[in-house]
Amino acid sequence: MGFIAFLKTQFIVHLLIGFVFVVSGLIINFIQLCTLVLWPINKQFYRRVNCRLAYSLWSQLVMLLEWWSGTECTLFSDEATVNTFGKEHVIIILNHNFEIDFLCGWTMTERFGVLGSSKVLAKRELLYVPLIGWTWYFLEIVFCKRKWEEDRDTVIEGLKRLADYPEYMWFLLYCEGTRFTETKHRISMEVAESKGLPKLKYHLLPRTKGFTTAVQCLRGTVSAVYDVTLNFRGNKNPSLLGILYGKKYEADMCVRRFPLEDIPQDEKEAANWLHKLYQEKDALQEMYNKEGVFPGQQFKPPRRPWTLLNFLFWATVLLSPLFTFGFGVFASGSPLLILAFLGLVGAASFGVRRLIGVTEIEKGSSYGNQEFKKKE
């Protein structure tokens, strides 16, 4: 094991990375709070500023994937589709099977210049998660309780508000509603059988309300839907902790572009279109499991230096005073100060671990573990 590889396994190094992310995130959130005064003066300027502030935070996680772990991401698509990336507003449909599926999506948005303006239909619980939810609030992310009767007006209002967004955005939808587990899959397929829908092997039954509503509200803004099917070579099941330990993964993403005009305007027909799409996604996963590749031409967009430079900037700004402070505490010889400092380190460790826990499948929500008898 080389020295760099050894460093990547050390808890103190992880703690320092977490410290930089958390403290820089709090600083960014405070600046975002201050930018609220811009909204009534110039809404579009407020949005552009917050896109860049969000980039400064999210790119630190992308840096871990691209530079720290060296994970490689390969696209399977066609040249015409790839040439549209970062040049249009789109809806992204991504399978929700892995702990770092969002991070693989983010690395693609970063490479095509839309990380800061990327959007997602997120569960409302995340709004109250420090850094993540707070940053998303200032980005006008659409939150939902995943109860359509309560969400309908909120979701429609949030989507319509994005109609004049000044930067190209990729709006992510996890149509399955929750991460794939065997229990959720079994229950989901029972629901599919009860509704007379084809069963899926690698996905949960898609929930159509969010998709059909997004398509309806964003017509005239969004140009296309990108269907993204993600898998990892070697049947790996990567985690954010694995990334933090420097484990390298190889992600493959099959990307298909569907012009929005090809999607039916009728809600029921659009829902049927989505169900058909997931049958195709299932066939793509079956092919991948048998052959180890997706169909299409392979592309490897180069990683950009900005994520690394951004992290080095924050590390320089924040770690220098931390080391100076820590040295002063231990040099003082005061047991009280030393205990307080160690307590602060322990609290920081706990906070970082809690943030990582948000991504873990076994700690995911119970949403999907119960059968809904009513149709969406």
Side-chain angles (χ1 to χ4, degrees), residues 142 151-163 213 217:
V142 182
D151 288 331
R152 185 180 182 278
D153 292 342
T154 302
V155 170
I156 290 175
E157 180 183 352
L159 289 169
K160 288 184 175 180
R161 193 165 54 237
L162 297 175
T213 302
C217 292

Side-chain angles (χ1 to χ4, degrees), residues 205-226:
L205 190 69
R207 299 173 184 269
T208 60
K209 287 294 185 183
F211 171 74
T212 57
T213 302
V215 168
Q216 289 172 357
C217 292
L218 294 176
R219 281 192 187 274
T221 299
V222 164
S223 302
V225 170
Y226 293 170

Side-chain angles (χ1 to χ4, degrees), residues 7-123:
L7 280 181
K8 291 179 179 180
T9 65
Q10 299 307 297
F11 171 74
I12 187 63
V13 176
H14 302 163
L15 194 58
L16 291 174
I17 292 173
F19 173 82
V20 172
F21 178 74
V22 170
V23 177
S24 65
L26 292 174
I27 293 172
I28 288 169
N29 285 164
F30 176 74
I31 297 173
Q32 287 182 303
L33 180 63
C34 295
T35 65
L36 285 175
V37 298
L38 296 174
W39 180 270
I41 301 171
N42 190 327
K43 181 176 68 173
Q44 303 296 41
F45 181 63
Y46 163 89
R47 286 169 160 173
R48 293 183 187 277
V49 169
N50 274 277
C51 284
R52 282 142 188 82
L53 290 171
Y55 177 89
S56 189
L57 184 60
W58 300 146
S59 65
Q60 294 181 50
L61 297 179
V62 174
M63 183 280 300
L64 289 177
L65 185 78
E66 294 184 339
W67 295 92
W68 186 256
S69 80
T71 292
E72 296 182 357
C73 296
T74 302
L75 298 179
F76 291 76
S77 190
D78 60 85
E79 190 170 352
T81 295
V82 173
N83 287 339
T84 65
F85 290 174
K87 301 173 183 176
E88 58 182 351
H89 296 298
V90 296
I91 293 172
I92 306 286
I93 296 177
L94 177 63
N95 55 305
H96 207 8
N97 300 67
F98 305 99
E99 291 184 10
I100 65 165
D101 47 32
F102 76 97
L103 200 49
C104 292
W106 274 359
T107 192
M108 284 299 108
T109 62
E110 200 290 318
R111 295 182 191 197
F112 291 101
V114 291
L115 173 60
S117 58
S118 61
K119 309 295 179 189
V120 65
L121 181 61
K123 58 184 179 182

Side-chain angles (χ1 to χ4, degrees), residues 74-263:
T74 302
L75 298 179
F76 291 76
S77 190
D78 60 85
E79 190 170 352
T81 295
V82 173
N83 287 339
T84 65
F85 290 174
K87 301 173 183 176
E88 58 182 351
H89 296 298
V90 296
I91 293 172
I92 306 286
I93 296 177
L94 177 63
N95 55 305
H96 207 8
N97 300 67
F98 305 99
E99 291 184 10
I100 65 165
D101 47 32
F102 76 97
L103 200 49
C104 292
W106 274 359
T107 192
M108 284 299 108
T109 62
E110 200 290 318
R111 295 182 191 197
F112 291 101
V114 291
L115 173 60
S117 58
S118 61
K119 309 295 179 189
V120 65
L121 181 61
K123 58 184 179 182
R124 189 165 183 81
E125 295 95 313
L126 291 176
L127 174 61
Y128 308 105
V129 176
L131 308 183
I132 298 173
W134 299 349
T135 304
W136 276 352
Y137 172 80
F138 295 108
L139 279 179
E140 302 168 77
I141 294 299
V142 182
F143 293 96
C144 63
K145 298 178 181 177
R146 299 190 291 196
K147 296 178 180 178
W148 185 243
E149 296 78 11
E150 300 178 28
D151 288 331
R152 185 180 182 278
D153 292 342
T154 302
V155 170
I156 290 175
E157 180 183 352
L159 289 169
K160 288 184 175 180
R161 193 165 54 237
L162 297 175
D164 63 342
Y165 210 77
E167 309 238 343
Y168 289 127
M169 63 175 177
W170 287 11
F171 191 96
L172 173 62
L173 289 176
Y174 288 119
C175 293
E176 295 162 271
T178 186
R179 277 200 179 93
F180 184 101
T181 66
E182 291 301 328
T183 299
K184 292 175 182 178
H185 180 253
R186 175 180 56 80
I187 296 172
S188 180
M189 292 308 97
E190 290 174 0
V191 174
E193 186 175 8
S194 70
K195 294 183 176 181
L197 295 169
K199 291 187 177 182
L200 303 172
K201 186 176 180 180
Y202 301 101
H203 300 84
L204 305 180
L205 190 69
R207 299 173 184 269
T208 60
K209 287 294 185 183
F211 171 74
T212 57
T213 302
V215 168
Q216 289 172 357
C217 292
L218 294 176
R219 281 192 187 274
T221 299
V222 164
S223 302
V225 170
Y226 293 170
D227 170 53
V228 183
T229 305
L230 169 70
N231 213 322
F232 289 86
R233 296 181 192 178
N235 200 29
K236 297 288 181 66
N237 192 12
S239 66
L240 192 54
L241 272 179
I243 295 295
L244 200 56
Y245 275 88
K247 292 183 180 179
K248 181 177 180 177
Y249 303 103
E250 293 178 292
D252 290 331
M253 289 180 274
C254 179
V255 184
R256 300 181 297 162
R257 182 183 185 275
F258 298 91
L260 204 68
E261 55 266 25
D262 291 353
I263 300 173

